[in-house]
């Protein structure tokens, strides 16, 4: 196992984590962006299974958040405001009147400090950043660290840790778009997804939660026994149409199974399993990816990747019954998501 470091310019670095089984992960110190994950298929062909740009400079103005750490708050904050202990805070408007993924210059577009960690069984890069009081309008000075670890079990472990000197709001995630076909040979219509969730969050026309949590029973949102993403992309259901034909919804985990999410792609034989201590996940099927972006393997189009954004819910700032994103001054934010890659036998 080893780590390689490439200096892309005066401030940008790319880290490549390699294990002994032919898996590698490429990560930028800019935005903590995962630019590539290379894993074998059932024939032993090692291919990239995430969406990324051919030219690293295109990440500077990326509306898709390809591979990035997003925050301080992942997802949408309704009307770009919230109230804590009677005080109202206004954050950056960057999607109409709403706040999306930490704002225009959120954690996805800062240079993180880096530290290499190597053990007998794993290799890691720890990225850290200090977000100051009123950054994008958020209260509190926030010290945050995200550690990416690769081991020989083909686990990519993402650990998040943060502290604040003032009560604030926080829910971090990684925004990697997965495509298990390999090298973006096809769209993600043929991905078979299982999710341990019996409830999902209803959205309005602006993709803001209505405050209603709905049952997945007899809907295109029932992934409990597995479903192809094509079922939702092609569904006439109102919620799929609101998301511009697909998914962009928060699912609350039941936490009844060992794995929270299982993704399979039959042609390659690749399997991705996801385990997290987060209460839910936003599944987004790349409905807004524009044509013509120069990606590592090909030109872009809709549905080239699917994200699994494990997180709490910013809807909790305006509605009861949603997983909280409040971080107290004397608490430590600690979350973990493990992405494991394998081959179906």
């Amino acid at each position: 196992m080893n780590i390689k470091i490439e200096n892309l310019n005066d401030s940008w670095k790319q880290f490549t984590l390699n294990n002994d089984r032919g898996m590698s992960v490429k990560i930028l110190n800019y935005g903590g962006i995962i630019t590539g994950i290379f894993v074998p298929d059932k024939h032993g062909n090692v291919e990239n299974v995430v969406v990324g740009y051919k030219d690293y400079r295109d990440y500077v103005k990326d509306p898709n958040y390809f591979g990035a750490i997003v925050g301080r708050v992942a997802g949408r904050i309704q009307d770009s405001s919230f109230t804590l202990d009677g005080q109202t805070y206004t954050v950056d408007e960057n999607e109409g009147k709403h706040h999306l993924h930490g704002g225009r210059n959120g954690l996805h577009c800062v240079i993180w400090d880096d530290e290499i960690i190597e053990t007998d069984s794993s290799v890691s890069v720890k990225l850290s950043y200090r977000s100051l009081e009123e950054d994008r309008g958020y209260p509190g000075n926030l010290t945050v660290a995200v550690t990416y670890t690769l081991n020989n079990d083909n686990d990519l472990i993402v650990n998040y840790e943060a502290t604040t000197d003032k009560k604030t709001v926080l829910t971090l995630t990684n925004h990697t778009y997965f495509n298990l076909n390999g090298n973006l040979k096809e769209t993600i219509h043929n991905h078979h997804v299982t999710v341990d969730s019996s409830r999902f969050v209803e959205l309005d026309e602006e993709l803001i939660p209505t405050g209603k949590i709905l049952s997945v029973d007899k809907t295109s949102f029932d992934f409990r026994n597995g479903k192809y993403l094509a079922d939702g992309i092609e569904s006439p259901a109102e919620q799929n149409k609101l998301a511009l034909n697909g998914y962009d919804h928060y699912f609350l985990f039941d936490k009844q199974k060992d794995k929270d999410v299982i993704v399979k792609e039959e042609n390659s034989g690749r399997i991705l399993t996801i385990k997290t201590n987060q209460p839910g996940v936003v599944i987004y099927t790349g409905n807004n990816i524009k044509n013509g972006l120069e990606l590592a393997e090909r030109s872009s189009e809709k549905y080239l990747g699917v994200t699994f954004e494990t997180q709490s819910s910013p809807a909790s700032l305006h509605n009861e019954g949603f997983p909280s994103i409040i971080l107290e001054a004397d608490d430590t934010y600690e979350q973990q998501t493990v992405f494991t890659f394998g081959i179906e036998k």
Side-chain angles (χ1 to χ4, degrees):
M1 304 190 72
N2 63 76
I3 298 179
K4 295 182 179 179
I5 306 173
E6 179 184 4
N7 293 311
L8 301 179
N9 59 30
D10 290 342
S11 56
W12 288 38
K13 302 175 188 177
Q14 182 165 255
F15 305 89
T16 303
L17 313 184
N18 300 289
N19 72 6
D20 299 329
R21 296 180 59 194
M23 178 175 170
S24 61
V25 182
K26 294 182 179 293
I27 301 158
L28 295 177
N29 63 337
Y30 176 83
I33 293 169
I34 294 174
T35 62
I37 297 178
F38 299 83
V39 294
D41 68 5
K42 62 185 178 183
H43 304 294
N45 301 310
V46 177
E47 296 172 309
N48 184 23
V49 293
V50 305
V51 179
Y53 287 107
K54 183 176 183 179
D55 186 338
Y56 72 88
R57 288 166 291 197
D58 288 336
Y59 287 106
V60 174
K61 295 183 179 180
D62 175 25
N64 303 289
Y65 304 87
F66 287 147
I69 298 167
V70 291
R72 295 186 186 187
V73 171
R76 295 173 174 87
I77 296 180
Q78 180 180 342
D79 297 325
S80 300
S81 68
F82 57 90
T83 301
L84 291 179
D85 295 337
Q87 181 172 348
T88 298
Y89 296 91
T90 300
V91 288
D92 202 16
E93 291 184 4
N94 65 321
E95 191 182 63
K97 63 182 180 178
H98 307 298
H99 178 87
L100 175 65
H101 289 335
R104 291 181 185 87
N105 296 298
L107 298 178
H108 64 287
C109 54
V110 301
I111 298 290
W112 294 65
D113 294 328
D114 60 86
E115 177 187 355
I116 300 300
I117 304 168
E118 297 183 77
T119 72
D120 292 338
S121 58
S122 67
V123 288
S124 306
V125 57
K126 181 178 181 179
L127 302 174
S128 55
Y129 184 75
R130 185 164 172 80
S131 175
L132 299 179
E133 172 91 25
E134 297 185 359
D135 183 14
R136 302 301 106 197
Y138 289 106
N141 295 296
L142 184 79
T143 300
V144 58
V146 179
T147 303
Y148 293 106
T149 299
L150 176 64
N151 62 27
N152 279 328
D153 294 324
N154 282 4
D155 296 328
L156 175 60
I157 304 164
V158 187
N159 285 303
Y160 305 86
E161 185 173 340
T163 56
T164 177
D165 60 4
K166 183 178 180 179
K167 187 174 184 177
T168 191
V169 293
L170 182 72
T171 185
L172 304 172
T173 196
N174 178 274
H175 209 276
T176 292
Y177 293 67
F178 296 96
N179 185 322
L180 300 185
N181 292 294
N183 291 346
L184 305 184
K185 288 192 292 292
E186 301 177 43
T187 61
I188 44 84
H189 288 69
N190 62 347
H191 284 45
H192 188 268
V193 177
T194 304
V195 185
D196 183 18
S197 172
S198 58
R199 298 176 298 155
F200 75 101
V201 174
E202 183 183 63
L203 302 178
D204 68 15
E205 293 80 1
E206 296 180 318
L207 302 181
I208 298 297
T210 64
K212 293 182 180 179
I213 297 175
L214 305 179
S215 169
V216 302
D217 284 341
K218 299 178 181 177
T219 74
S220 55
F221 293 81
D222 190 352
F223 287 94
R224 288 173 295 182
N225 295 312
K227 183 185 297 290
Y228 287 100
L229 292 178
D231 293 352
I233 292 171
E234 299 166 2
S235 169
E238 179 186 5
Q239 282 294 301
N240 291 121
K241 286 187 171 183
L242 283 176
L244 300 180
N245 301 309
Y247 299 97
D248 195 359
H249 294 75
Y250 187 73
F251 293 77
L252 291 101
F253 291 131
D254 292 342
K255 296 294 183 181
Q256 297 297 311
K257 299 180 180 178
D258 181 52
K259 301 296 183 182
D260 297 303
V261 179
I262 302 170
V263 188
K264 297 181 180 181
E265 198 287 302
E266 182 178 354
N267 294 326
S268 69
R270 292 186 179 97
I271 301 176
L272 166 63
T273 61
I274 302 172
K275 182 68 175 176
T276 184
N277 59 355
Q278 292 276 25
V281 62
V282 173
I283 299 178
Y284 170 56
T285 44
N287 321 324
N288 289 301
I289 297 176
K290 300 293 189 285
N291 292 340
L293 302 175
E294 193 171 0
L295 304 177
E297 295 87 7
R298 56 169 289 190
S299 183
S300 64
E301 65 174 296
K302 289 175 68 171
Y303 310 122
L304 265 189
V306 54
T307 72
F308 299 97
E309 304 161 47
T310 55
Q311 61 179 92
S312 286
S313 176
S316 62
L317 297 174
H318 297 93
N319 303 278
E320 298 291 333
F322 290 78
S324 174
I325 64 169
I326 292 174
L327 178 64
E328 300 284 352
D330 56 351
D331 289 344
T332 299
Y333 178 93
E334 291 181 295
Q335 301 292 346
Q336 181 184 81
T337 298
V338 181
F339 302 94
T340 302
F341 294 87
I343 301 296
E344 189 162 32
K345 304 298 183 183

